[in-house]
Amino acid sequence: MPTTRQQKEDTLKELNDKFAKAKSVAFGQYSGMTVTQLSGMRRKMRDAGVEFKVAKKTLFKLAAKGQGLELPDDIIAGTVGAAFSYEDSVAGPRIIKKMGKEVEVLKLMGGIMEGQVLSISQMKEIADLPSKEELLAKFVGLLRSPLQNFYGVLRSPLGSFLRGVQAYAEKKPV
């Protein structure tokens, strides 16, 4: 059943809102995925604060144009969906790339981040970045390590000294 003009206008308005709210948009070619695979991918995306939307290419182009961006044809070639990342800007590209290893027909095609259109290679590099939580954990580990080492250095000689005094006290006749 063909979509009516009103349905297209509603979808365009929804896409305009999503493009405006999203921290990043990753386009993925999903042609050939089974319903189960697509549902699994959408569930993973939902858990990560990402929404996967399928629409006509012309509507994606118009919505991007509404944000002042021009989408090249190679980014939205084939059967394409868009992953809108609202919380972590790297989550959408990462999930598409990771699922692409499991499902060979899924491909990361490019995207939009911080007001710039990114190529396939740029989006793949971004998808390889660690998440915000991983970076914060590494940073805390880097801050904590010198403190632990300093504590160990201070504690070790003092402990040795006290054990020596204790041994001497035990040997000394009363």
Side-chain angles (χ1 to χ4, degrees), residues 64-93:
K65 196 174 274 191
Q67 299 298 314
L69 301 167
E70 188 69 37
L71 288 180
D73 290 332
D74 62 333
I75 287 180
I76 54 173
T79 309
V80 175
F84 296 93
S85 301
Y86 298 112
E87 296 168 15
D88 183 8
S89 56
V90 181

Side-chain angles (χ1 to χ4, degrees), residues 88 90 94 125-135 138:
D88 183 8
V90 181
R94 184 182 307 117
E125 287 177 21
I126 288 172
D128 291 334
L129 292 174
S131 68
K132 183 178 179 180
E133 290 79 23
E134 290 175 52
L135 289 174
K138 287 179 182 180

